[in-house]
Amino acid sequence: MFPRPIQQASRPAQITYQSLIPVALLMWLLPLVAVAIFSIKPDTDFTAGNYWGWPSSFQGLANYGKVFFESDMPRYLMNSVLITVPTVIGAVALSCMTGFALGVYKFRGNLWLFFMFVAGNFVPFQILMVPVRDLTLDLGLYNTKMGLVLFHVAFQTGFCTLFMRNFIRALPFELIEAARVEGVAEWRIFWFVVLPLMKPAIAALSVLIFTFIWNDYFWAVVLTQGAESQPVTAGITSFNAQYRAAYHLMSAGSIVAALPPVAMFFLMQRHFIAGLTLGAVK
Amino acid sequence: MTTATLPDTHADSGGPGFLRRHRMTLAPLLFLAPGVLFFLVYVIFPIFQSFQVSFYRWDGLGQPEFIGLQNYQELATDRAFEVSLWNNMKWLVLYLLAIPGGLFIALFLNQTVAGIRIYKSLFFFPFVISQVVVGLVFTWFYDPTFGLLNTLLESIGLPAINVLGDPTLATYGIIAAGLWPQIAYCMILYLTGLNAVDPEQIEAARLDGAKGLRMLWHVILPQLRPATFIAFVVTIIGALRSFDLISIMTNGGPFGSTRVLSFYMFEKALSEYGFRMGYGAAIAVVLFLIMLCFIAYFLWSMWRQERGR
């Protein structure tokens, strides 16, 4: 193990290390801690100039209550869910198939198709913006959740295919060979042999794509406007315009908007990290 | 016809001869069709369409008018474009600091003490929250009247600074905000990488008297190469994609000093003063060509790995 395990160090060094970690963490998360404190402060603290002092009273419930019951926030959150969940399902489903095809079959152009997905996944969004916006308008899907979902599914298929294909490559190929010798149809091999083995990859991609899409801001601004279809990342700016200078509410709103991916991460940490390392670092 | 009622365990394997004979061609084709089709329509074709649009003058509504290279000629003399391009370079170079930063924290946390798992996840925290929220959080952190940064500066007797209001500082302030989640990402890549480092090699090197930085450089880093490669890829991509933070924190200002190509393109194409889709597309093409150098390098590396198998 590198660096040398702290247990081998002297007692004072160990104690220093143990007490240094929480301090380092606090400094690392300081901007976030500040927002969390803001979100439970009462309105009067800000007008009185008490920004960094102790909250004069605990107003967490009132502040968060306002966010949930007196603003458009619940609608934005709902929109985010309705955009994110179908995208995750669509992108994972499509990439299971493309990943299977590229990972299992040998045909001419296999590597080229694979590289097309990889390269497409890396392009800057702006090169797609004008045509995609135009296409969405032509389809009559501008300012709909559907329009966003379709684009996200297509774009994320690139990344997901990269991941799935590499994952399938690492599976024991003899299983598929054996099934073929038995005369099992190809789609049954996919469904009954390969898919069950892909569960970890599917879980990893699901959490990862969930986070990516939930946090998307650019496409939300390009393809939607207004509370009826905008996700929470775009909604938070209108929310902030509504509560300008009401820092306690803006902080509470930001925390609410950020929470779902955080919860997802803590629930499915292992899968999440497996996905982030693109399966390449084990 | 009586045979048809017999239970058949491979119901479809005896299908029509054509399908059966060509199944090794048809199967991949059918599995690929939906994904490839979607990807072509929404990603690959739009790239070429953007190239095409960049030769037109178009407000997004009326008839596009072909103007050849005029958009690109205009770019050559556009001060705002120059500023954006420079800022992109700053982003690219400074964003790479996330890699040593992430490595440093990973080395710091790569211990087995009580509760270390929780600490690792909490250090990773900034990456999971959306850039919009990161942008808001840092805007308040930098705020000249009540921001924590100035409160701290004043408490140690330094003059207050208005990071986001100062044209020379604003971009660096935004990059610092961007580094926060990016360092967390690199950290997690290195933590997973460090897990896989061969303990025997470390022991052998220790017996040879290697330690500290020499050990890190000659023994550990070579083994972390896959992690470094991915950290490099995601950091470059992240740097060139920077948009959310700029849009939230300064909206390109003050005086357009924090624009980057991705933001400037958006501003031109969908500006309040009329859409300039053609000009925007030309900016996007430049950004794309910069990115293409890196994409080509990434693909080349991947291709070498594939051949090595």
Side-chain angles (χ1 to χ4, degrees):
Chain A
M1 205 168 145
F2 184 86
R4 189 182 285 273
I6 196 80
Q7 283 85 353
Q8 293 173 15
S10 65
R11 191 87 195 110
Q14 282 187 40
I15 293 170
T16 319
Y17 179 74
Q18 296 260 19
S19 49
L20 205 60
I21 302 183
V23 177
L25 180 69
L26 190 71
M27 275 165 59
W28 180 241
L29 293 182
L30 199 60
L32 215 57
V33 174
V35 174
I37 294 176
F38 267 25
S39 76
I40 56 165
K41 281 190 160 206
D43 193 11
T44 48
D45 273 9
F46 294 96
T47 44
N50 172 19
Y51 289 108
W52 296 108
W54 203 245
S56 61
S57 65
F58 174 77
Q59 292 295 330
L61 287 178
N63 292 346
Y64 285 94
K66 252 198 182 125
V67 170
F68 273 109
F69 299 112
E70 287 171 39
S71 77
D72 276 335
M73 207 42 121
R75 278 179 79 182
Y76 292 129
L77 286 170
M78 198 60 207
N79 288 340
S80 274
V81 171
L82 291 176
I83 290 163
T84 308
V85 172
T87 303
V88 170
I89 296 171
V92 170
L94 283 182
S95 62
C96 279
M97 297 197 287
T98 50
F100 174 74
L102 293 175
V104 166
Y105 299 93
K106 291 188 175 62
F107 55 90
R108 254 200 313 164
N110 180 318
L111 206 57
W112 287 106
L113 265 181
F114 178 58
F115 279 177
M116 175 192 84
F117 280 117
V118 178
N121 163 54
F122 288 148
V123 299
F125 295 146
Q126 283 69 23
I127 192 89
L128 311 178
M129 189 188 105
V130 173
V132 166
R133 186 176 173 277
D134 210 36
L135 175 67
T136 309
L137 277 167
D138 286 346
L139 292 171
L141 294 174
Y142 181 76
N143 200 20
T144 62
K145 296 183 233 10
M146 189 62 178
L148 262 180
V149 169
L150 284 181
F151 171 77
H152 281 317
V153 167
F155 192 81
Q156 296 302 331
T157 299
F159 173 72
C160 295
T161 301
L162 161 73
F163 189 81
M164 288 294 191
R165 183 259 192 194
N166 285 344
F167 188 85
I168 290 172
R169 271 283 158 102
L171 294 176
F173 195 66
E174 301 81 52
L175 271 175
I176 297 161
E177 298 267 78
R180 278 197 186 134
V181 172
E182 293 275 314
V184 181
E186 295 298 312
W187 72 268
R188 285 173 160 257
I189 295 181
F190 170 69
W191 192 258
F192 294 111
V193 180
V194 176
L195 213 51
L197 296 173
M198 275 156 66
K199 275 181 194 151
I202 294 174
L205 274 182
S206 302
V207 250
L208 209 58
I209 301 300
F210 181 92
T211 316
F212 287 168
I213 302 303
W214 186 279
N215 291 341
D216 163 70
Y217 175 69
F218 180 74
W219 291 104
V221 189
V222 171
L223 296 181
T224 58
Q225 49 186 193
E228 63 275 15
S229 50
Q230 270 193 333
V232 73
T233 41
I236 190 90
T237 45
S238 345
F239 178 88
N240 284 353
Q242 189 185 343
Y243 294 103
R244 183 152 298 281
Y247 288 102
H248 54 305
L249 294 181
M250 295 194 328
S251 305
S254 304
I255 287 183
V256 168
L259 220 49
V262 172
M264 203 64 154
F265 166 66
F266 277 101
L267 288 175
M268 310 199 43
Q269 226 182 98
R270 271 173 49 92
H271 294 300
F272 192 94
I273 290 168
L276 273 184
T277 53
L278 313 185
V281 188
K282 294 217 173 77
Chain B
M1 290 309 278
T2 47
T3 49
T5 57
L6 281 173
D8 186 352
T9 44
H10 309 302
D12 50 283
S13 63
F18 178 80
L19 287 180
R20 176 137 183 75
R21 259 183 287 121
H22 295 277
R23 63 173 188 164
M24 293 308 273
T25 327
L26 283 173
L29 214 64
L30 290 175
F31 278 118
L32 279 170
V36 170
L37 209 69
F38 245 70
F39 203 70
L40 283 177
V41 169
Y42 268 106
V43 182
I44 302 300
F45 294 157
I47 295 175
F48 294 101
Q49 284 165 337
S50 275
F51 270 89
Q52 194 194 354
V53 171
S54 74
F55 298 118
Y56 286 82
R57 176 181 295 136
W58 188 36
D59 61 1
L61 300 165
Q63 199 61 34
E65 178 199 344
F66 185 81
I67 53 167
L69 288 172
Q70 272 182 42
N71 283 328
Y72 292 95
Q73 282 162 356
E74 194 183 332
L75 278 183
T77 54
D78 185 347
R79 265 289 291 157
F81 173 75
E82 202 187 312
V83 171
S84 310
L85 201 59
W86 263 114
N87 281 337
N88 260 113
M89 295 305 143
K90 287 181 196 162
W91 271 87
L92 266 179
V93 173
L94 292 175
Y95 225 48
L96 287 174
L97 290 175
I99 298 176
L103 178 64
F104 178 78
I105 299 185
L107 290 173
F108 176 64
L109 289 178
N110 194 32
Q111 295 287 351
T112 44
V113 295
I116 196 75
R117 283 180 63 96
I118 312 234
Y119 283 122
K120 285 179 187 170
S121 343
L122 285 173
F123 265 93
F124 183 61
F125 209 76
F127 180 74
V128 194
I129 39 184
S130 81
Q131 299 242 312
V132 173
V133 176
V134 172
L136 288 170
V137 167
F138 268 83
T139 312
W140 298 332
F141 182 71
Y142 290 142
D143 191 285
T145 52
F146 67 83
L148 194 53
L149 179 70
N150 280 327
T151 313
L152 292 176
L153 282 180
E154 278 163 13
S155 71
I156 53 170
L158 289 171
I161 43 171
N162 181 4
V163 178
L164 297 180
D166 183 339
T168 52
L169 280 180
T171 291
Y172 300 106
I174 302 175
I175 296 175
L179 276 174
W180 193 44
Q182 195 64 30
I183 288 176
Y185 192 170
C186 294
M187 174 206 81
I188 214 81
L189 289 173
Y190 278 122
L191 273 176
T192 9
L194 281 169
N195 253 335
V197 167
D198 181 10
E200 281 178 22
Q201 279 196 33
I202 299 180
E203 280 317 308
R206 284 223 171 100
L207 288 180
D208 287 342
K211 57 181 177 187
L213 278 178
R214 277 173 56 87
M215 171 84 114
L216 178 68
W217 187 256
H218 293 289
V219 183
I220 308 295
L221 278 183
Q223 292 193 58
L224 288 176
R225 276 197 64 158
T228 308
F229 177 69
I230 296 176
F232 184 66
V233 173
V234 295
T235 305
I236 294 281
I237 305 279
L240 288 175
R241 278 206 181 141
S242 53
F243 172 89
D244 302 5
L245 288 174
I246 296 161
S247 166
I248 295 292
M249 293 175 75
T250 60
N251 205 20
F255 316 115
S257 63
T258 54
R259 287 187 186 120
V260 292
L261 290 180
S262 61
F263 183 81
Y264 189 46
M265 181 275 166
F266 176 84
E267 214 179 33
K268 279 290 165 191
L270 299 178
S271 104
E272 309 162 40
Y273 312 107
F275 294 176
R276 293 193 65 194
M277 298 289 186
Y279 196 57
I283 302 169
V285 165
V286 174
L287 179 61
F288 175 74
L289 292 178
I290 297 173
M291 193 84 106
L292 202 59
C293 307
F294 292 104
I295 295 177
Y297 168 69
F298 300 153
L299 287 184
W300 182 67
S301 311
M302 284 179 68
W303 186 69
R304 277 192 323 181
Q305 277 174 26
E306 287 293 322
R307 296 231 340 208
R309 284 195 183 182

